[in-house]
Amino acid sequence: MKYTENALSIFALGGINEIGKNMYVVQYEDDIFIIDCGGKFPDESLLGIDLIIPDITYLEENQDKIRALIVTHGHEDHIGGIPYFLRKLNVPIYATRFTLGLIELKIDEHRLRGDSKLITIDSNSRLEFGSVEISFFKVSHSIPDCLGIVFHTPEGNVVHTGDFKFDLTPANNQYADIHKMAEIGQQGVLVLISESTNAERKGLTPSEQMVGSHMDEAFIKARGKIFISTFASNVNRVQQVVESALRTNRKLALLGRSMVNVVNVAIERGYLNVPEGMLIDASEVDKLPAEKVAILCTGSQGEPMAALSRLASGNFRDVAIYPGDTVILAASPIPGNEKDVSKIIDNLFQIGAKVIYGSGSTTGMHVSGHGYQEDLKLMLTLMKPTYFIPIHGEYRMLHHHRMLGESVGVEKGNTFIIKNGDVVDIKNGTARQTRSVPSGDTYVDGIGVGDVGDIVLRDRKQLSEDGMLVIVITISKGDRKIISGPDTITRGFVYARDSDEMLKEVNRLVTKSVNDMHAENIRQWNVMKQNIKKSVGQYLFTQTKRKPMILPIIIEI
């Protein structure tokens, strides 16, 4: 069967074989719909990089076909890339009230509000774009106002679940609309696109209510100040902290810019109920008895500049942790952050604080917002899809999700485990994956977006490992002889005073290289620089077993 441009196409530009950077695309004929636009934080190998966002080359090349960016919920891995996306593509953004509040914070920070078109939707909204109609359904997650999406196309219905779990006693009373999901399944689902984060974990995800009772217990037992660190966006968890503080007659202070911003948005839009007079400024904490104060702060992932990290190292201006204070980490580390979190926990124990951390039944201060195996199987059973595309996870998670799908009736061969950029085309009810579109990582470094590539990162890695050597020579324009130098400057390679003989030999080798090329009448600067790099590099490696970056600078007078 020949597949043409007017097939239904589904692909990811981020979020597959990784945690974070979520961006998915559903295209029918000349209508492109984007789902989410997230970022992810770099690992330690990406020196100096602040954020990683999806490569949107395909969308830029087809911008006249883009109808909407639809955002499922307000977590960073789903909205973090929006300001950078809007600089290149001014597309209408559809999201719920709370999610839009968080997006507005971001675009205001980047001064993009004037040009942006933000449209509020809810689970009852219906959008029409030519032959495609879009509807929504409520899902439970660890942030308010989360949606799943249904694309009603002439080919059939495509369902994107968003991030979800089935919490029958949610802390915010935002129940998953299981009846509506069942109705969607009854109508027929051609493709289900479903998240896979916890596909390896057996059972059902514990309810958020479990955290509330453990939080109360910790507050009752605590004698000094209580510090609680969690994701600012986990408004359900913040509400539980507010209620525990109220029950134990404690005032609440907020530390960290994102915590203050998100709490303000949540209060203003009615998603967080904080009694009047409960919130106090950080400067008031030390004026009250320790047992009358709780402090809610950012930094649960070990971020070095976040409030908890600065508190743990004694570098926060207005507030300090003292022996006997209680510190609660009400979030589990994202994969890759474990080392940073462990370091902070060590520092807190050294101060003498009582530290409560870890998830599950041991401490009960955190439950996942993502469905375990039984939640994922329930979604698959409700939707009964013909085709299944697991997303939002590393390869092993996608693999386990495929096995779960097959265990509840998805036909073998009808699950597509794809990579970012792989396109699943569906025509006349038959799906194939035979082509791909450009995809990859775009690095944000300071105000630069996409201007740092592999070569720059390779240079940074070399500089960080072996340092650099700058060799400055002044050459006569007329007879091509050395007038002054070579002068050698070293940074991060060796201490110059302790390596006098070696650097003298470097200067001798440089002089010899220049004189040899003069004798052979070689005048090209690039050839001269390459020869200097080669001779000096070989010598330094034999002496030190290091490969510093060598930068010859030739000045002609």
Side-chain angles (χ1 to χ4, degrees), residues 395-407:
Y395 187 87
R396 66 186 185 281
M397 302 165 186
L398 309 179
H399 168 78
H400 281 289
H401 206 173
R402 172 174 61 190
M403 305 294 282
L404 293 174
E406 290 174 1
S407 75

Side-chain angles (χ1 to χ4, degrees), residues 181-341:
M181 294 180 207
E183 282 172 19
I184 293 162
Q186 289 292 337
Q187 292 164 14
V189 174
L190 178 64
V191 186
L192 177 67
I193 308 165
S194 182
E195 71 125 327
S196 313
T197 314
N198 280 334
E200 298 167 281
R201 301 176 76 169
K202 290 184 167 60
L204 278 162
T205 313
S207 171
E208 191 73 30
Q209 289 284 12
M210 185 189 85
V211 176
S213 57
H214 285 280
M215 191 78 73
D216 281 349
E217 188 182 339
F219 268 65
I220 290 163
K221 286 181 178 175
R223 292 291 165 261
K225 294 194 295 295
I226 300 176
F227 293 81
I228 311 100
S229 185
T230 189
F231 292 109
S233 59
N234 193 340
V235 175
N236 304 344
R237 193 74 38 83
V238 173
Q239 185 69 61
Q240 288 171 321
V241 171
V242 168
E243 286 163 12
S244 294
L246 189 63
R247 289 186 190 108
T248 52
N249 198 25
R250 288 178 183 259
K251 298 286 187 183
L252 188 64
L254 306 175
L255 302 184
R257 188 172 59 121
S258 62
M259 184 65 75
V260 172
N261 286 344
V262 172
V263 166
N264 285 342
V265 168
I267 292 171
E268 180 193 312
R269 301 198 173 208
Y271 293 91
L272 187 60
N273 182 24
V274 181
E276 201 167 324
M278 175 180 261
L279 289 179
I280 60 169
D281 193 74
S283 59
E284 297 175 64
V285 167
D286 283 341
K287 297 174 186 173
L288 293 168
E291 66 277 6
K292 296 292 181 187
V293 183
I295 297 103
L296 188 57
C297 61
T298 55
S300 63
Q301 297 306 303
E303 306 95 314
M305 295 308 293
L308 184 63
S309 179
R310 288 156 59 203
L311 286 163
S313 57
N315 290 329
F316 206 93
R317 190 178 57 191
D318 294 317
V319 185
I321 297 174
Y322 296 116
D325 287 345
T326 298
V327 181
I328 299 168
L329 271 75
S332 60
I334 293 169
N337 293 345
E338 296 90 347
K339 198 164 81 174
D340 293 333
V341 174

